[in-house]
Amino acid sequence: MAVGLSFGVEGQPVGGNAGYEIGRGPRTGRHGKLRLGDDGSRIERRTIIKTAEAKVYTELVAIRAREAMPSGWAPEELIVVELYFFLGREIDCDNRMKFIDDGIQLGTGVNDKWFLPRAMTKVAGLRPPSRRVVVSIVDLASVASAPAS
């Protein structure tokens, strides 16, 4: 498969339960439109939001994705997101994928509904600076149009 972009993100990825907390978020109406008070201010409610640590990790993934993105790269179909985990402690990879996908979406502008994420390998017990996640993204349209070998 032809790789669209590849990059590494240093550190242990943020996990599902540790990545969320109860906080204040915007209140939306039936169609996702922000609800405003009589004075025009936005109405907030208690909701589940990302923790500060999760926001920082998501932004780090976005920065690395943006740096690695080739100019003119704009996938038109599904893309495979291959994740290689090199970790300090054992984790459930599924819980980490959402924050990584969110960062890739933020960095590339590609909606994560088109992502097909998969964990390719997982190695635990590493010390810093060896802890990282390596991301390789493959555009399925480029694979389909490639000549057969």
Side-chain angles (χ1 to χ4, degrees):
M1 284 196 218
V3 174
L5 61 136
S6 185
F7 59 93
V9 182
E10 58 274 6
Q12 183 92 5
V14 177
N17 293 338
Y20 294 107
E21 63 188 0
I22 301 294
R24 306 286 305 166
R27 180 151 190 161
T28 57
R30 197 166 124 197
H31 300 289
K33 191 174 180 182
L34 277 178
R35 292 184 62 194
L36 303 177
D38 293 335
D39 62 354
S41 63
R42 105 180 172 173
I43 299 173
E44 291 192 339
R45 64 182 171 93
R46 288 176 51 86
T47 188
I48 297 173
I49 60 172
K50 284 184 183 177
T51 62
E53 182 184 16
K55 288 177 186 175
V56 167
Y57 190 79
T58 299
E59 184 59 38
L60 179 60
V61 173
I63 290 167
R64 297 294 178 258
R66 204 174 296 122
E67 291 171 347
M69 191 169 66
S71 112
W73 184 75
E76 298 174 11
E77 294 185 22
L78 296 172
I79 60 174
V80 175
V81 179
E82 296 178 342
L83 302 168
Y84 301 82
F85 292 91
F86 302 96
L87 311 162
R89 64 185 181 283
E90 194 65 43
I91 62 165
D92 177 351
C93 293
D94 290 345
N95 288 340
R96 277 35 181 206
M97 288 181 180
K98 180 60 181 156
F99 297 107
I100 296 169
D101 287 350
D102 287 351
I104 295 168
Q105 176 176 317
L106 186 62
T108 63
V110 177
N111 191 318
D112 66 358
K113 73 179 181 180
W114 299 110
F115 295 178
L116 299 171
R118 60 185 182 188
M120 302 302 289
T121 192
K122 178 174 68 166
V123 177
L126 301 175
R127 297 179 185 264
S130 299
R131 297 176 188 167
R132 68 193 181 287
V133 176
V134 176
V135 180
S136 291
I137 298 177
V138 180
D139 178 1
L140 288 181
S142 67
V143 174
S145 65
S149 54

